[in-house]
Amino acid sequence: MYNRVQLKRLVKIVELLRSERYPNSKRIVAELEKSVTDDLNELDNLKCSEKTAKRDIKLLKEEFHCPLAFDRANNGYYLTDKDWDFFYPAILDETEMLAMFLGLRLAEQIMPDPLKSEIQRAVEYLLSTNNPELRDRSFVRQLSLHSMHAAAIKPEIFMPTFQAWQKHRLLKIVYRDRERESSERIVEPHALVYYENTWYIKTFCHLRGEVRTFMLHRIESAEMLEKTFKPNPEIYEAAKPGNFLQFKQIPNIKIRFHRSIHDSLYAKPLHKDQVIDFDETSEYLTLHLPECSEEVVLPWVLSQMGKAQIVEPKKLKNHLRNHLLQ
């Protein structure tokens, strides 16, 4: 069994290999000393001798099957397979275990299968290799996340999308728009976003030649392609809260709703400048939105289980009716 310090040294060595800095035993010793100097909060002293560094290199190659080779010209090691994944047993402290439990709880709530099941299996494996005293996670089950259920996403849609985003590969999709018209597109999935109980991808769409946002539950088919793309920081920045939902805004929306949902609508407004006509004698009130997108309004109305009805505009009201008839 490997100890915590040894595993952290191995991780550092793999980082040097991935960065193509051609580490040898002498360079590894220098980098480990530098990492401790640079990080005053480092809990584990990773400094070691050249003999230990050579032993770690041998361990990587023989036990973890690391595809490394020695380059005489650069006097150091390099990866012969840059896509190699370093799988190693984690040794977690109490804080890290807590973070893992909380992450699992969130994954159970928002991640579709099969990714959710894979995360659950990974956590069970980590539990089996760590301190038994830290395995009691019954308290985590008391963490409740109350929200609307996300739209169902088929595994054959979510996993290719997730993997294409993860590996920076092009994604071929057939997408159904709000008018229920389908089109085939090649996109670059730069950002994966979970917002208001809905999964989105922020992409560069080759068909339109511009940045586009797609709802995963509207994707009818998805295929990860071999060709890769270079991540664009500007597109990722546009995926941050307040930036990425560039949906078309519909002006002058009027909604009639039951007074029992007034407090929740006040606590979480659909628009910062919304106005509510409040009548103490009426069971129903009227909500006025200066503008809002269909992607925000329709899910909200549907979630109210008949306690909210769109009054104006007529086109938006008809879109809701068509959605219910599907």
Side-chain angles (χ1 to χ4, degrees):
M1 189 63 183
Y2 315 103
N3 63 48
R4 179 186 179 89
V5 175
Q6 185 179 31
L7 284 173
K8 294 190 76 171
R9 281 203 313 269
L10 295 179
V11 170
K12 291 278 188 180
I13 294 172
V14 172
E15 288 177 359
L16 293 173
L17 290 167
R18 291 197 190 285
S19 63
E20 299 182 344
R21 295 164 68 180
Y22 297 95
N24 54 32
S25 58
K26 186 175 182 179
R27 291 171 187 165
I28 290 171
V29 169
E31 287 294 332
L32 292 177
E33 289 180 348
K34 180 181 177 182
S35 68
V36 174
T37 303
D38 290 346
D39 188 358
L40 299 179
N41 295 318
E42 179 64 70
L43 300 178
D44 299 315
N45 189 340
L46 302 183
K47 290 191 294 185
C48 69
S49 64
E50 286 191 42
K51 183 178 179 180
T52 300
K54 290 178 181 177
R55 188 170 63 244
D56 286 344
I57 292 172
K58 183 179 180 181
L59 182 66
L60 278 172
K61 190 169 185 177
E62 295 181 356
E63 297 292 331
F64 294 95
H65 307 291
C66 178
L68 55 82
F70 192 82
D71 187 308
R72 295 190 180 278
N74 291 286
N75 190 30
Y77 292 93
Y78 68 97
L79 289 176
T80 59
D81 180 5
K82 295 180 181 180
D83 295 326
W84 173 71
D85 290 320
F86 182 26
F87 296 107
Y88 58 92
I91 299 179
L92 308 175
D93 60 24
E94 189 171 357
T95 301
E96 290 166 335
M97 290 283 281
L98 176 60
M100 180 185 66
F101 290 152
L102 294 176
L104 173 62
R105 186 64 173 147
L106 292 173
E108 289 174 338
Q109 296 292 317
I110 69 172
M111 288 293 182
D113 271 322
L115 184 59
K116 177 172 65 176
S117 298
E118 291 179 4
I119 293 172
Q120 290 171 331
R121 286 193 294 270
V123 170
E124 292 301 327
Y125 169 74
L126 291 173
L127 289 175
S128 69
T129 60
N130 281 272
N131 188 343
E133 295 179 359
L134 301 179
R135 295 182 191 173
D136 181 13
R137 49 177 168 154
S138 59
F139 72 96
V140 180
R141 294 295 174 185
Q142 299 170 16
L143 173 64
S144 299
L145 305 175
H146 297 287
S147 64
M148 293 162 48
H149 292 293
I153 304 173
K154 297 178 180 179
E156 58 267 30
I157 300 299
F158 186 82
M159 289 308 295
T161 302
F162 180 85
Q163 292 168 349
W165 161 74
Q166 184 183 32
K167 298 179 179 181
H168 303 147
R169 302 259 286 270
L170 294 183
L171 184 70
K172 181 166 73 172
I173 65 173
V174 174
Y175 190 74
R176 172 176 48 82
D177 62 21
R178 70 180 68 180
E179 305 296 335
R180 301 200 56 78
E181 295 182 359
S182 299
S183 60
E184 183 177 281
R185 303 162 183 259
I186 304 295
V187 300
E188 301 171 5
H190 288 268
L192 185 65
V193 181
Y194 185 75
Y195 177 79
E196 294 288 349
N197 304 288
T198 303
W199 283 101
Y200 302 84
I201 47 171
K202 191 77 169 182
T203 76
F204 180 81
C205 176
H206 287 202
L207 177 66
R208 303 303 182 192
E210 60 187 16
V211 176
R212 286 294 181 95
T213 302
F214 298 102
M215 291 177 163
L216 263 63
H217 66 271
R218 284 188 178 175
I219 297 177
E220 298 179 331
S221 68
E223 177 188 354
M224 181 175 67
L225 304 179
E226 291 295 325
K227 187 175 181 180
T228 61
F229 64 89
K230 185 177 180 181
N232 187 330
E234 293 183 3
I235 297 179
Y236 175 74
E237 191 68 25
K240 290 185 177 180
N243 295 335
F244 91 100
L245 287 181
Q246 299 174 343
F247 294 129
K248 180 180 179 181
Q249 298 296 301
I250 300 173
N252 303 321
I253 298 174
K254 183 187 294 185
I255 299 174
R256 183 173 179 264
F257 68 95
H258 193 271
R259 63 185 305 126
S260 63
I261 59 177
H262 172 270
D263 289 349
S264 63
L265 187 56
Y266 181 81
K268 192 175 182 181
L270 297 180
H271 191 283
K272 64 181 182 67
D273 295 324
Q274 69 181 26
V275 175
I276 297 176
D277 291 342
F278 195 83
D279 185 348
E280 292 287 352
T281 64
S282 176
E283 187 177 1
Y284 281 85
L285 311 175
T286 303
L287 169 68
H288 299 271
L289 302 174
E291 64 177 9
C292 198
S293 70
E294 178 178 316
E295 288 79 2
V296 172
V297 172
L298 295 192
W300 180 84
V301 171
L302 289 170
S303 71
Q304 304 311 313
M305 303 296 290
K307 292 185 178 182
Q309 299 89 34
I310 298 173
V311 179
E312 295 177 359
K314 187 176 180 180
K315 183 177 181 179
L316 183 60
K317 185 177 181 179
N318 290 337
H319 281 175
L320 177 60
R321 182 183 296 109
N322 293 337
H323 180 83
L324 293 173
L325 292 175
Q326 292 173 10

